[in-house]
Structures are given as structure tokens and as C-alpha cells.
């Protein structure tokens, strides 16, 4: 199972239509059907009953929907947390001060910020 399978299932559950899901996600109907069948085989459950009016979730399908939503939300949260951790704060610093803090004082850590070096005059103009 892939995360995209859960996204497809979510759309199937909410739209109650294989055709509408295929259109919404830009897939062929046969691809959506195959992914649904793959999920049903993997979990050995029937997720929907099919009719001419569309698809109706089974009891297992409703439980699986809650699982899919929880998993997709948790994945989004982890991605956000990881992304925030890898982003460095941005700092504008004058070239002279940067060189002084790096070479002489050795107090500036290069990994702490993403530095943008500017002349003192250019920094002063930022405030105007």
C-alpha cells in the first residue's frame, strides 16, 4: 500500500463514485478500480458495495476511512515538522561583521542561520 492509495480511497469514500474520483485525481477509471481492488486484497476486506448509482461504503469501509484520514493527517504533520526542522532562520549581516565574527571572534556558527551578506550601506537602506 502506498500513501496515494489512501488518498484515492479518501476520494472514493467522499465522492461515492469511481468515475468522479478518476476525474478529480486525473487517473483513468481502470487505474482507480485496480488500486481499490489492491487495497481490498491487501486487507482482505470489501470496502464498498458497487451499484449503478455509485459506490457505498461497507462497515469496514467506514472504519478504513477513519484509518486513512488519521494516517494522511499524521503523515502531513510529520512532513511539516521535518520541513520546519530543516529550514534555517534567515539572517542579513554586513560583510565586515560577518568576517569579524567568523575569523576573529569565532562566535558565529555557520549552521545556525542562512546568511545573506550585504554591505552596511545596503542594510541601512533596508530600513527606509
Amino acid at each position: 500500500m502506498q500513501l496515494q492509495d489512501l488518498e484515492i480511497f479518501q476520494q472514493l469514500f467522499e465522492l461515492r463514485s469511481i468515475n468522479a474520483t478518476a476525474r478529480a485525481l486525473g487517473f483513468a477509471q481502470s487505474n482507480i478500480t485496480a488500486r481499490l481492488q489492491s487495497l481490498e486484497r491487501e486487507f482482505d476486506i470489501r470496502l464498498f458495495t458497487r451499484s449503478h448509482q455509485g459506490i457505498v461504503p461497507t462497515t469496514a469501509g467506514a472504519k478504513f476511512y477513519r484509518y486513512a484520514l488519521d494516517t494522511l493527517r499524521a503523515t502531513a504533520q510529520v512532513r511539516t515538522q521535518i520541513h520546519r526542522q530543516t529550514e534555517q532562520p534567515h539572517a542579513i549581516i554586513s560583510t565586515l561583521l560577518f568576517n569579524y565574527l567568523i575569523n576573529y571572534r569565532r562566535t558565529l556558527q555557520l549552521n545556525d542561520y542562512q546568511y545573506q551578506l550585504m554591505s552596511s550601506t545596503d542594510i541601512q537602506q533596508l530600513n527606509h
Side-chain angles (χ1 to χ4, degrees):
M1 176 180 63
Q2 299 174 11
L3 281 175
Q4 189 177 52
D5 294 334
L6 296 178
E7 293 166 350
I8 290 169
F9 176 80
Q10 177 187 1
Q11 289 295 309
L12 286 167
F13 188 92
E14 293 172 0
L15 297 176
R16 304 285 205 266
S17 167
I18 293 173
N19 286 332
T21 298
R23 282 192 304 275
L25 298 176
F27 289 113
Q29 177 186 347
S30 59
N31 189 280
I32 298 297
T33 300
R35 301 288 283 272
L36 174 58
Q37 290 171 344
S38 176
L39 277 176
E40 290 178 327
R41 273 192 311 277
E42 184 172 344
F43 287 88
D44 194 28
I45 55 175
R46 182 117 194 202
L47 297 169
F48 295 99
T49 55
R50 291 138 178 98
S51 71
H52 294 294
Q53 287 80 27
I55 55 176
V56 178
T58 62
T59 303
K63 288 179 184 177
F64 194 81
Y65 177 71
R66 288 188 293 278
Y67 161 76
L69 287 182
D70 290 345
T71 303
L72 291 169
R73 278 191 209 113
T75 301
Q77 287 174 345
V78 166
R79 282 185 177 147
T80 299
Q81 290 169 357
I82 290 170
H83 183 69
R84 284 184 187 151
Q85 288 175 352
T86 59
E87 286 183 359
Q88 291 178 316
H90 187 263
I92 297 174
I93 189 168
S94 74
T95 307
L96 290 174
L97 182 58
F98 182 81
N99 288 333
Y100 173 73
L101 293 174
I102 291 287
N103 296 321
Y104 297 105
R105 296 288 313 265
R106 300 183 194 278
T107 58
L108 197 62
Q109 298 297 317
L110 294 177
N111 294 333
D112 290 345
Y113 293 92
Q114 181 180 19
Y115 296 99
Q116 179 179 353
L117 301 179
M118 297 178 78
S119 70
S120 299
T121 304
D122 289 339
I123 292 173
Q124 188 176 28
Q125 291 176 356
L126 291 174
N127 295 326
H128 297 288

